[in-house]
Amino acid sequence: MRPAATIALALLPLSAAAAASPANEGMSPERLFPGAVFSAAVPTQEAVLGFKPGARPMRHDELMRYVAAVAAATPRVKVLPYAKSWEGRDLVVVVVADEATAGGLDAFRDEHAKLLDPRGRSADADRQGASKAKAVAWMAYGIHGDELSSTDAAAAVLYRLAAGEDDWAKAARRELVVLIDPCQNPDGRERFLAELRAFGHLTPSSDREDLSHTGLWPWGRWNHYLFDMNRDWINLVQPESRRVAAIATWLPQLMVDSHEMGSSDTYLFSPARPPFNPFLPKRYLDWAGRYASDQAKALDARGYPYYRGEWADEFFVGYGSSWAMYHGAVGILYEMSGTDGTLVRKPFGEVRTYAQAVEHHATSSIANLGTLAANREEALMAMIGSRREAIARGAKGPVRAWILPRTGDVDRTDALAQLLRDQGVEVLQARSETKAPGLHDAATGETAAVVLPAGSYMVPADQPAGSLARVVLDPHVPMEASFLQEERRSLETGKGTRIYDTTSWSLPLEYGVPAYWSAAAPAGDWTKDRVRPPRRTGIVPPAEAGAVPLAWVWDGGSDAAILAVADLLADGVLVRVAEKPFRVGGRAYAPGTLLVRREGSPPDVEARLEAAASRRGVAVDAVTTVLAEQGADLGGNYFHPLVPPRIGVFTGPMIASTEYGAIWHLLDTVVQQRFTAVDLMSFAGADLRRFNVLVVSPLGTSKEAVRALIGKNGMERLKDWVSAGGTLIGIGSGALMLADKDAGLTAARARSQVLDSAPPPVWSVSASAALDAAPLRATGLASSDLEPPPRPAADASKAAAPAAGKTPAPAKSRSAYDVRPVIGPGAAPFVEGVDLGTPLAGKPVEMDAWLKTALPPGRTEPKEDDRRRADDRLRAFSPQGAMLRVDLDPDLYLTWGMPGDLTAWIGADDALIAGPPARVAAAFSGIDTIHRGGLLWPEAAARLAKTAYAMRESVGQGQIVLFLDDPVYRGWMLGTRRLFLNALLYGPGVGAEPPAAW
């Protein structure tokens, strides 16, 4: 046995030792809920677990034990599983209602859904149904694993509702069905609790910087694969997000999402501040204000400070407190100052305990439920009204339907349709082929008549979930002009952006599938039933019976095709990829087609091919000749042999957690490819010879710090590894670190480092207007303040003409803060009639020409510092998450199997300049077509246009591949993800020179 002292330390701070401090005694239910009366039949938390609410954070297994004990004690409670986490922990929602309703939840849910679908009945019938119906609340806690207090509050709220015998509790159960989602991210919570336990003290430390508060990388905010689960509400990449499908069936009127924030703060709750999404329910601010008023009174009674809005906006749809609002609910956000399970002393001396943090959330939850119960009928009517408005907008508005043709990579299209259905959006399918005229391309804005194959999808806009359908499908959602001016003022004055998350998230653009919208629902035979067109998979034998195949080929244009490559390479099958088009067996194949020759393959190659093709859903054509009818013969050198990748991905405290997590998740669960996670902190001792691919993920610290860690000798070692045949892939800030001029690895450069040779053009207000918009300076007059020297009289017979190659400087707008964002052709129809501000006159100008007007008297030419400051200003206007068009070079292997252009998600604050010997695989489009969705300022459009999104450069026998931004961002971007997969799986064979076989 271990000594008793060792046992106590092993349990810190989650033990009775930690609770011994008066600050950690916790709170009894009677103290937590003054005036409540409880049934003795329902056990308290202390009776089941041995400690009071707030004494310490409960573990997930303890939470599940307590939930089970309450459910066993009363028929008012039912536990409904909805998923398991990656680490196998149960994800459940706990339903509390009166006994009759709890005993028939399926019937209740069906009736509730019918009430909230107003189609086919009058508005008077809405009131009749709502008058006797229950309202539904979904109370969500603990989506970020290191935000501990809300899960303990969930257990307390469960007890209040299930055990309460007072009038309030009885009314709540009579008027409401309450669904408590007590721990949305158990894996992250357990990781964080393990860290805090490892660094805990016998006497809890209130110092916020103690390890018992901070933990270590990767902390606990994220789930197993380090995804931020509060950004996965519309993409459902992670299993924990399956709650969304459950919420879509329950259609709550109230959606609460409970969080923690910085420990020096107080308590924030809704309503939010601008920008507001235009698809939010019209009644959002009114209802959020009602809930806030009652919540404020409850917190006032306990003497706690709080505030509303300030930093939390309501534009991005993908938060837990936001998503349900597009079904018509009211979403409420809680943000409590964190205590990390013990107590914190704030900068000015106030002490906040864990029990108090739990009390804030429990008090707020009960207050919000009380507001809903007291306004049950009106809340139901408000949500029905929002859904009626969505139907009416879809029936009369310019967008009547979204169309997803079942062409191209049909797996992606099918997955997108299912994703919409999972979120409660109605999706129809075509029983037979139909021609649809007048469709508008979501990416380009072009109008065309499109032949829709059987099985194609239509999302009608005139449906109760029409607002949600529009907000996740539209390529662009506009912000109001007042906020845009506020944002520019904040940027110009050095305060930074007021945008909290990404400004673009269109699912068709993310998935990279053909998508169209229409001003009229296309004619045809459309059904809600699933249509399953026949599909070829596995090996397709040759037409000649009994013929012996000499090779097997399959189209490389789908995700399934390259995933089959990964399987086959891992299984010892030599796969080749076609550089040139060819025709064989009466069928034409494009560059990027995959080939396996019988020669050099294992004897059972057909069985291995069949297994990979069937597993991934690929059709492999068996051919009986290597002689092409057209193009490259199958035995020639235009078919490049691929080399099994041996992948290392740098990770650790110097790497951005979630960006690494997206790569980890992709390789583990999608590609199912073995790789090694290499701690960058251990770079000096890492044996790089094991790998032929190394990935430098986006950094979690400065590139200078990482370069200093690697050191000059380390950079030389990395370069030697590449020269010997390695493929080095840099992403985002990892790419800019590799491209740094001091790294000496590649000819590519960050734009901010080549202002002398590749200065960005400036498309903005005038330099003098920018100076006026910035904080006050005291540097004297500028050239623009002085009277220009007199000019000689012009010859009236000659018209003045601008100098060749020069564009006149843009005229001043009416305010330096009043500038219309760039809107691309696909987004333009979605901003018609919306005031976005004043467009800039003219076109981009050279940086030096722009600067000259603001130089001090006596200076005629800008200096290096002038350009640097001007570029720093431009970088402040970088996208906060926009969808931009990139054009592809079809001759490079990185783009094989892909279309001519893609949509990339961009949040980078720099640009990538790549000239010879580097080759650009993907370049941002021109300034007129670069924008596809999200907020893009003219400054950013001009700085990014025609620069590199992805490039490669040969270095010795190897190569360096750089991506300006994350091609697998949040697991969302399936189009650019393919570029990354090509780099991983094709790169070691095609882009590098592997050593010859022994």
Side-chain angles (χ1 to χ4, degrees):
M1 291 180 63
R2 291 178 296 168
T6 304
I7 295 173
L9 285 172
L11 295 175
L12 286 174
L14 308 182
S15 66
S21 165
N24 288 321
E25 291 177 351
M27 304 180 73
S28 67
E30 290 75 17
R31 182 180 165 198
L32 194 54
F33 306 112
V37 177
F38 298 106
S39 166
V42 179
T44 65
Q45 177 183 312
E46 186 175 17
V48 176
L49 303 180
F51 60 94
K52 297 175 183 177
R56 65 166 174 86
M58 64 175 68
R59 301 189 308 270
H60 183 260
D61 64 290
E62 292 174 325
L63 169 68
M64 291 295 98
R65 184 150 49 99
Y66 182 61
V67 165
V70 173
T74 174
R76 302 165 182 169
V77 175
K78 300 296 180 185
V79 181
L80 306 180
Y82 60 80
K84 279 189 179 291
S85 73
W86 285 112
E87 296 175 14
R89 296 185 176 92
D90 290 327
L91 291 148
V92 303
V93 61
V94 187
V95 188
V96 187
D98 62 61
E99 294 181 14
T101 305
L105 288 177
D106 289 342
F108 169 82
R109 185 168 49 191
D110 290 344
E111 287 302 313
H112 186 71
K114 289 177 184 177
L115 175 64
L116 290 165
D117 185 350
R119 291 174 293 188
R121 68 166 187 257
S122 68
D124 290 341
D126 293 345
R127 174 69 67 181
Q128 183 179 359
S131 66
K132 52 190 177 183
K134 291 176 178 285
V136 174
W138 188 287
M139 313 294 286
Y141 305 89
I143 200 166
H144 292 142
D146 58 356
E147 299 175 3
L148 299 172
S149 59
S150 70
T151 289
D152 289 85
V157 171
L158 170 61
Y159 181 74
R160 177 73 178 99
L161 290 167
E165 294 294 350
D166 52 280
D167 290 343
W168 184 95
K170 291 177 179 178
R173 293 193 297 267
R174 182 179 64 249
E175 305 292 336
L176 307 177
V177 171
V178 181
L179 299 106
I180 300 173
D181 194 351
C183 187
Q184 302 174 87
N185 180 9
D187 294 353
R189 181 181 181 88
E190 290 305 303
R191 181 169 63 248
F192 190 60
L193 288 178
E195 292 185 1
L196 300 190
R197 185 163 54 240
F199 301 120
H201 302 275
L202 282 170
T203 300
S205 173
S206 62
D207 187 337
R208 297 177 299 155
E209 302 200 5
D210 185 83
L211 271 176
S212 65
H213 288 288
T214 62
L216 297 174
W217 189 95
W219 307 286
R221 178 180 177 88
W222 304 290
N223 78 334
H224 173 80
Y225 281 109
L226 307 185
F227 274 64
D228 188 327
M229 301 309 305
N230 203 35
R231 305 296 186 275
D232 195 38
W233 285 78
I234 60 171
N235 294 83
L236 314 191
V237 177
Q238 299 297 298
E240 295 91 338
S241 298
R242 297 309 305 169
R243 70 178 52 86
V244 169
I247 298 171
T249 66
W250 282 99
L251 294 173
Q253 285 64 67
L254 172 65
M255 176 78 201
V256 166
D257 194 25
S258 188
H259 291 256
E260 286 182 358
M261 55 182 171
S263 57
S264 63
D265 218 319
T266 59
Y267 192 64
L268 171 140
F269 52 91
S270 301
R273 64 154 176 82
F276 294 111
N277 194 297
F279 290 101
L280 281 174
K282 292 180 180 178
R283 304 163 184 83
Y284 161 68
L285 285 175
D286 173 50
W287 274 95
R290 291 196 204 187
Y291 284 107
S293 178
D294 290 342
Q295 189 173 347
K297 291 175 184 176
L299 292 168
D300 285 343
R302 298 181 185 234
Y304 287 134
Y306 54 82
Y307 61 98
R308 297 169 296 164
E310 289 199 15
W311 54 263
D313 65 49
E314 201 54 81
F315 186 75
F316 176 47
V317 62
Y319 304 127
S321 56
S322 303
W323 176 87
M325 289 206 278
Y326 299 92
H327 272 294
V330 176
I332 296 178
L333 170 70
Y334 302 162
E335 291 278 358
M336 176 65 208
S337 55
T339 61
D340 305 306
T342 54
L343 73 168
V344 161
R345 185 175 298 277
K346 298 184 181 184
F348 294 99
E350 312 103 299
V351 173
R352 175 74 72 228
T353 69
Y354 188 66
Q356 290 172 326
V358 172
E359 182 184 11
H360 277 71
H361 286 320
T363 299
S364 296
S365 298
I366 296 303
N368 289 160
L369 289 171
T371 304
L372 179 61
N375 297 276
R376 171 196 54 79
E377 181 178 342
E378 196 174 352
L380 285 164
M381 288 298 296
M383 185 164 176
I384 295 169
S386 292
R387 291 165 74 80
R388 277 195 179 276
E389 288 162 5
I391 295 168
R393 180 171 56 237
K396 299 178 181 178
V399 178
R400 305 289 178 88
W402 272 95
I403 309 298
L404 304 172
R406 205 168 179 276
T407 56
D409 193 337
V410 295
D411 288 342
R412 288 191 196 172
T413 303
D414 290 345
L416 175 52
Q418 185 58 48
L419 178 60
L420 294 169
R421 285 171 169 151
D422 287 345
Q423 297 183 61
V425 175
E426 291 179 2
V427 180
L428 309 180
Q429 279 191 274
R431 294 184 192 272
S432 58
E433 180 180 285
T434 185
K435 186 172 183 179
L439 300 188
H440 304 269
D441 190 292
T444 67
E446 296 173 356
T447 303
V450 179
V451 176
L452 304 175
S456 293
Y457 300 96
M458 177 171 67
V459 181
D462 58 343
Q463 60 170 294
S467 294
L468 179 62
R470 287 286 308 276
V471 82
V472 299
L473 291 171
D474 286 6
H476 180 75
V477 178
M479 294 176 172
E480 60 266 31
S482 59
F483 173 78
L484 293 173
Q485 292 190 36
E486 180 183 341
E487 172 74 355
R488 285 193 70 92
R489 180 184 294 274
S490 187
L491 296 174
E492 292 280 27
T493 55
K495 298 175 184 176
T497 182
R498 288 179 57 77
I499 295 168
Y500 193 67
D501 205 85
T502 184
T503 65
S504 185
W505 52 82
S506 168
L507 293 177
L509 295 184
E510 290 175 5
Y511 274 56
V513 298
Y516 302 86
W517 60 273
S518 175
D525 185 6
W526 297 93
T527 177
K528 290 184 180 180
D529 297 333
R530 305 296 176 95
V531 177
R532 305 285 187 186
R535 181 178 174 186
R536 301 191 311 164
T537 59
I539 293 179
V540 180
E544 316 91 64
V548 177
L550 297 181
W552 296 267
V553 293
W554 67 97
D555 186 340
S558 67
D559 292 340
I562 196 169
L563 296 179
V565 170
D567 292 349
L568 290 166
L569 291 177
D571 199 25
V573 176
L574 177 58
V575 183
R576 289 174 166 83
V577 60
E579 178 182 351
K580 300 287 186 180
F582 63 97
R583 185 179 185 87
V584 68
R587 185 178 175 191
Y589 296 91
T593 295
L594 287 312
L595 164 72
V596 171
R597 299 173 184 160
R598 182 175 290 280
E599 182 185 55
S601 293
D604 61 346
V605 62
E606 286 184 85
R608 299 189 193 194
L609 274 167
E610 177 66 37
S614 298
R615 179 179 181 224
R616 299 295 189 174
V618 174
V620 176
D621 295 322
V623 295
T624 58
T625 178
V626 295
L627 179 66
E629 297 151 18
Q630 289 180 333
D633 292 329
L634 276 60
N637 294 320
Y638 286 123
F639 292 87
H640 299 271
L642 300 180
V643 174
R646 303 187 306 276
I647 301 170
V649 182
F650 286 112
T651 185
M654 303 197 86
I655 295 295
S657 304
T658 56
E659 284 79 357
Y660 164 73
I663 296 171
W664 178 18
H665 174 264
L666 170 66
L667 293 177
D668 254 16
T669 70
V670 179
V671 187
Q672 299 179 22
Q673 168 76 46
R674 175 187 170 191
F675 78 100
T676 299
V678 181
D679 189 345
L680 190 58
M681 297 286 287
S682 304
F683 178 84
D687 183 0
L688 303 183
R689 295 173 300 173
R690 296 172 293 165
F691 309 112
N692 57 14
V693 178
L694 284 173
V695 180
V696 183
S697 309
L699 308 180
T701 185
S702 70
K703 63 180 182 181
E704 289 78 16
V706 174
R707 202 169 61 248
L709 170 73
I710 295 174
K712 184 177 180 180
N713 291 339
M715 284 295 182
E716 287 298 323
R717 189 159 68 98
L718 201 55
K719 188 171 184 178
D720 290 344
W721 175 85
V722 175
S723 297
T727 295
L728 180 60
I729 302 173
I731 299 174
S733 53
L736 295 178
M737 186 271 291
L738 298 177
D740 190 274
K741 61 184 179 181
D742 294 327
L745 293 174
T746 171
R749 292 288 179 268
R751 180 153 228 167
S752 58
Q753 289 194 332
V754 288
L755 298 179
D756 55 342
S757 59
V762 181
W763 195 17
S764 186
V765 297
S766 68
S768 57
L771 282 176
D772 290 342
L776 287 176
R777 299 187 181 190
T779 55
L781 297 175
S783 298
S784 58
D785 298 313
L786 306 180
E787 186 70 24
R791 297 182 179 180
D795 184 346
S797 64
K798 296 180 180 180
K806 301 291 184 181
T807 303
K812 288 185 179 180
S813 62
R814 57 177 178 257
S815 163
Y817 311 124
D818 178 16
V819 176
R820 178 184 173 94
V822 173
I823 300 295
F830 297 88
V831 300
E832 288 181 5
V834 179
D835 180 13
L836 299 178
T838 304
L840 287 174
K843 295 182 179 180
V845 299
E846 295 176 353
M847 177 175 276
D848 281 6
W850 184 81
L851 279 167
K852 283 180 180 180
T853 62
L855 294 175
R859 289 261 309 278
T860 58
E861 295 296 330
K863 297 181 179 180
E864 182 179 348
D865 282 351
D866 298 317
R867 297 188 189 97
R868 179 183 54 78
R869 285 193 295 270
D871 191 54
D872 287 346
R873 175 184 171 273
L874 295 181
R875 291 173 67 184
F877 290 93
S878 296
Q880 298 300 314
M883 300 284 189
L884 305 183
R885 171 176 167 162
V886 293
D887 298 317
L888 307 186
D889 182 345
D891 293 333
L892 292 180
Y893 77 87
L894 287 169
T895 70
W896 290 348
M898 303 179 71
D901 63 78
L902 291 175
T903 301
W905 183 93
I906 300 298
D909 71 347
D910 214 329
L912 196 58
I913 302 296
R919 285 283 304 275
V920 176
F924 290 104
S925 184
I927 205 163
D928 294 330
T929 54
I930 187 172
H931 177 260
R932 284 187 167 168
L935 177 58
L936 182 66
W937 293 116
E939 291 84 354
R943 197 172 186 278
L944 284 167
K946 301 294 186 181
T947 63
Y949 172 74
M951 53 74 59
R952 74 164 295 275
E953 179 179 342
S954 293
V955 178
Q957 293 177 306
Q959 64 184 329
I960 294 176
V961 177
L962 302 180
F963 292 90
L964 176 68
D965 219 321
D966 189 351
V968 294
Y969 177 72
R970 293 180 175 173
W972 293 2
M973 303 304 297
L974 304 193
T976 51
R977 183 182 79 176
R978 177 60 193 268
L979 282 170
F980 181 60
L981 290 176
N982 280 11
L984 290 174
L985 299 174
Y986 295 172
V990 184
E993 298 178 32
W998 174 255

